């Protein structure tokens, strides 16, 4: 953050003096109440000491507010940029009769279909129901490379505010105006919807308890002091209380949380809940979908291989007919490939077949098959080897041994084999051959999965595909384990099983059939390229659609937990040290025995008090950068990390006040009126 923004943020610290806001951080609220008390007292009985203490107590509250304001600053700036993308658009809404009408983007309803062409801004979130287009999503992802969005598959979701670069698509609107992805993203980066996480709440309770204990302690001092004939002024007691309660962590706690979320946004990950970020810090297993998550996901047909006596044309024709109405990218690519093998006469349209009474069977993840029933009584199916083999057996026929060789060969290369079979009415069922679907593993997976392993995270790929293909892709990508032929229920069950021992599980996926698993996982990261259902179900969205992004997510989660722990340690160690600085100074005159612990030899009781209060305020500002940047995380064991941090922040926290308060005391002891 540059100097200009740092200065521009200062007024925010004053705005946050509102008690309704301060009440959210109890420790700082106590300081605020204390400041009010001392303000009244120093008006009634002004003295250099009273006024100085009062001023520094207010500064303490302002520093705490400032820490939070600075943490929010980056998000606010980003929200402003995003708002520009949310400019008012006009939409061309499709009417039932096929004509279009022009409406304002804000007037669209869920279920409306709109046409978007090259150069136009997509007016709302939704799914592509027709067509393929390249889309510029830089408005939300900051990434200028165009992405492909198409109907039918797992890459159908589009985001309002992004721009179509080429071609024409029909989008079915899936969210209400005002509740779009962009709206949610804005309120997220702005921190408007930020909720305290379970860990934060627990820590806050600890801080409240500590504050209460110190409140009682300080109140108990008075009778003791009165008894020994040295009653302390209210100002001294307030100052003592503020020095003893954990103001440092109280002031920085919310900034640490905001900064963690913000770091994720910097990595193009949108976390819908802070709880998921914390969970990410403790994840032990990562489950990943194959197609579209580990691979690029634009599976397309590259070759057809006949089996038995079937001819190339026969296979091509059957595969063509079975895919005519298949809206998935796989289906469309089969139509494109097989069309080249057919005569114009054989290349009928889906409309004509439907008019003649053909019944198309859509693909589903449960059946793993699709196809067509022709009016002539001929049935054609294509799909996973197991599914189509089953269908062939049900037709009373045998699955030829040659088939296995073909599908194994394709599977071993990492391709997906789709078996094509035909049943001629009451006649025999025959396996015609196999379509080879090719997909490419995303770049750099292997090295990144190795990094995850070093972090102690096991990676498991779960796919609906056959075991051979799964094994080949698993090997190429370098995941630890895989589960093949998994149904959406299997994916869910695997997560539940992993979670049983209290382990936290992350899941990354893109498809509608991943949605239940994404919802069940502790950290559910949806690929931005995925379907609306997947993005809705997860608690994070990765705008870069990079499955190894979990490395950053985990590191940020761990860093958040470590930073919070380190600053809490530091804060409490600090307060203990301050105790030794102040108490002897307060009571030295009455109990000369205290001299033995009066290691600091401060100028006077008043200068000791004031120095402690000033140190207490300055340490907040000094630690803002660390709170925002986070304590460095390295993938070493948790024990080693803890020891190291206890040493640095525990010991540092004890020593720092002695040095700091002594220096401040040397400096202010020259001020008149603090004798
Ligand atoms: N359009 C289609 N028609 C017929 N069968 C298909 C079609 N698309 C896929 N299949 C078959 O169904 C299987 C499972 O589908 P899919 O690959 O979408 O499952 P998944 O659980 O999403 O797994 P992943 O996305 O990890 O590969 C595929 O391996 C393939 O054999
Ligand atoms: K304190
Ligand atoms: Mg999938």
């Amino acid at each position: 953050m540059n100097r200009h923004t740092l200065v521009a943020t200062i007024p925010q610290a004053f705005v946050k003096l509102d008690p309704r806001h301060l009440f959210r951080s109890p420790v700082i609220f106590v300081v605020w109440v204390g400041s009010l008390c001392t303000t009244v007292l120093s008006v009634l009985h002004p003295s250099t000491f009273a006024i100085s203490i009062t001023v520094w107590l207010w500064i303490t509250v302002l520093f705490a507010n400032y820490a939070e304001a600075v943490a929010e600053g980056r998000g606010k700036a980003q929200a402003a940029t995003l708002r520009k993308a949310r400019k008012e658009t006009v939409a061309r809404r499709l009417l039932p009769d096929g004509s279009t009408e022009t409406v304002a983007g804000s007037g669209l309803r869920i279920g409306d279909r709109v046409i978007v062409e090259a150069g136009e801004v997509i007016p709302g979130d939704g799914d592509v129901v027709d067509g393929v287009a390249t889309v510029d999503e830089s408005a939300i992802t900051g990434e200028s490379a165009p992405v492909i969005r198409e109907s039918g598959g797992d890459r159908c979701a589009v985001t309002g505010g992004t721009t179509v670069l080429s071609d024409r698509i029909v989008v079915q609107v899936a969210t209400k105006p005002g509740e779009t992805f962009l709206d949610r993203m804005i309120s997220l980066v702005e921190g408007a919807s930020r909720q305290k996480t379970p860990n934060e709440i627990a820590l806050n309770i600890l801080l409240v308890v500590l504050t209460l204990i110190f409140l009682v302690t300080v109140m108990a001092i008075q009778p003791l002091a009165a008894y020994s004939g040295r009653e302390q002024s209210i100002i001294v007691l307030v100052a003592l209380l503020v020095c003893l309660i954990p103001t440092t962590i109280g002031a920085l706690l919310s900034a640490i949380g905001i900064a963690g979320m913000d770091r994720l946004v910097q990595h193009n990950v949108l976390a819908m809940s802070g709880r998921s970020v914390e969970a990410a810090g403790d994840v032990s297993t990562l489950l990943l979908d194959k197609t579209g998550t580990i691979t690029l996901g634009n599976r397309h047909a590259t070759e057809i291989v006949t089996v038995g006596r079937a001819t190339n044309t026969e296979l091509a024709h059957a595969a063509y007919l079975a895919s005519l109405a298949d809206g998935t990218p796989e289906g469309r690519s089969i139509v494109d490939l097989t069309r080249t093998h057919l005569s114009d006469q054989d290349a009928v349209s889906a409309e004509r077949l439907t008019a003649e009474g053909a019944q198309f069977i859509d693909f589903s993840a449960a059946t793993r098959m699709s196809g067509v029933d022709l009016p002539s009584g001929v049935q054609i199916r294509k799909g996973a080897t197991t599914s189509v083999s089953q269908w062939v057996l049900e037709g009373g026929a045998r699955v030829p041994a040659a088939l296995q060789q073909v599908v194994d060969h394709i599977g071993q290369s990492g391709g997906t084999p789709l078996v094509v079979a035909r049943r001629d009415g009451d006649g025999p069922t025959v396996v015609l051959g196999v379509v080879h679907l090719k997909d490419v593993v995303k770049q750099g997976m292997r090295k990144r999965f190795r990094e995850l392993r070093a972090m102690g995270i096991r990676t498991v790929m779960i796919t609906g595909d056959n075991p051979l293909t799964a094994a080949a892709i698993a090997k190429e990508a370098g995941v630890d384990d895989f589960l093949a032929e998994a149904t959406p229920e299997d994916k869910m069950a695997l997560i539940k099983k992993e979670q049983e021992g209290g382990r936290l599980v992350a899941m990354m996926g893109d498809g509608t059939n991943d949605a239940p698993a994404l919802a069940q996982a502790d950290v559910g990261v949806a690929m931005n390229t995925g379907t609306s259902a997947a993005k809705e179900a997860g608690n994070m969205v990765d705008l870069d659609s990079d499955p190894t992004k979990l490395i950053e997510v985990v590191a940020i989660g761990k860093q958040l937990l470590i930073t919070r722990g380190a600053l809490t340690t530091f804060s409490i160690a600090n307060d203990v040290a301050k105790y030794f600085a102040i108490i002897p100074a307060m009571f030295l005159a009455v109990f000369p025995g205290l001299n033995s612990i009066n290691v600091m030899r401060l100028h006077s009781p008043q200068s000791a008090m004031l120095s402690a209060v000033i140190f207490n305020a300055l340490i907040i500002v000094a630690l803002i950068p660390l709170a925002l940047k986070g304590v460095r995380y390295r993938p070493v064991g948790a024990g080693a990390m803890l020891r190291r941090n206890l040493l640095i922040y525990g010991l540092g926290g004890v020593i720092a006040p002695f040095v700091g308060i002594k220096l401040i005391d040397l400096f202010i002891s020259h001020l008149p009126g603090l004798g």
Side-chain angles (χ1 to χ4, degrees), residues 89 93 114 150 177 247 251 307 328 350 360 362 401 470 571 576 643:
T89 49
R93 182 156 62 189
V114 294
E150 59 190 342
T247 43
V307 167
T328 66
F360 288 104
D362 284 341
S571 182
V576 171
R643 274 194 298 280

Side-chain angles (χ1 to χ4, degrees), residues 129-401:
V129 288
D130 190 30
V132 187
T134 51
V135 178
D136 174 6
E137 296 197 331
S138 58
I140 54 161
T141 62
E143 178 65 54
S144 56
V147 293
I148 290 175
R149 292 289 176 264
E150 59 190 342
S151 63
D154 287 345
R155 295 194 299 168
C156 62
V158 288
T159 310
T162 58
T163 311
V164 171
L165 291 176
S166 74
D167 306 288
R168 168 190 186 276
I169 46 175
V170 178
V171 175
Q172 178 158 330
V173 177
T175 52
K176 286 197 211 111
E179 292 175 17
T180 63
F181 191 63
L182 205 56
D183 289 310
R184 281 196 293 160
M185 199 170 156
I186 290 171
S187 80
L188 187 85
V189 297
E190 239 177 5
S193 54
R194 206 181 92 85
Q195 301 270 312
K196 281 201 184 118
T197 63
N199 269 315
E200 233 177 311
I201 292 170
L203 184 50
N204 243 317
I205 292 173
L206 173 74
L207 297 185
V208 169
V209 169
L210 280 176
T211 305
L212 285 176
I213 291 175
F214 281 120
L215 190 65
V216 171
T217 313
V218 169
M219 286 196 317
I221 284 178
Q222 194 65 321
L224 187 76
Y227 173 77
S228 53
R230 277 221 98 189
E231 199 160 318
Q232 302 287 333
S233 74
I234 300 287
I235 294 199
V236 167
L237 293 179
V238 169
L240 179 63
L241 176 65
V242 169
C243 288
L244 295 186
I245 61 178
T247 43
T248 319
I249 183 65
L252 297 174
L253 188 57
S254 114
I256 295 170
I258 296 169
M261 296 287 257
D262 187 59
R263 263 196 300 282
L264 274 179
V265 174
Q266 302 312 314
H267 282 92
N268 259 348
V269 176
L270 302 181
M272 305 303 167
S273 82
R275 178 194 285 264
S276 61
V277 183
E278 282 177 357
D282 286 327
V283 156
S284 60
T285 314
L286 168 62
L287 307 181
L288 310 110
D289 171 60
K290 174 176 75 76
T291 314
T293 304
I294 291 181
T295 66
L296 291 177
N298 54 344
R299 265 194 304 205
H300 54 273
T302 50
E303 59 167 340
I304 53 172
V305 186
T306 56
V307 167
R309 261 173 291 169
T311 65
N312 232 348
T313 321
E314 213 180 348
L315 171 60
H317 194 201
Y320 176 84
L321 294 177
S323 307
L324 261 186
D326 185 349
T328 66
E330 289 86 353
R332 279 202 310 270
S333 77
I334 295 174
V335 171
D336 291 345
L337 178 73
T338 51
R339 175 69 186 83
T340 57
H341 293 269
L342 301 181
S343 65
D344 287 348
Q345 198 193 338
D346 280 344
V348 290
S349 70
E351 288 76 26
R352 221 185 88 199
L353 273 189
T354 312
E356 288 171 5
Q359 289 274 326
F360 288 104
I361 289 103
D362 284 341
F363 167 71
S364 86
T367 61
R368 299 202 185 107
M369 263 195 324
S370 57
V372 64
D373 291 351
L374 297 172
S376 60
V378 170
Q379 300 180 317
I380 307 170
R381 293 291 180 276
K382 68 168 203 291
T385 315
T386 47
S387 307
V388 177
S389 298
Q390 181 68 29
W391 185 76
V392 170
L393 291 176
E394 281 162 12
R398 273 184 346 103
V399 178

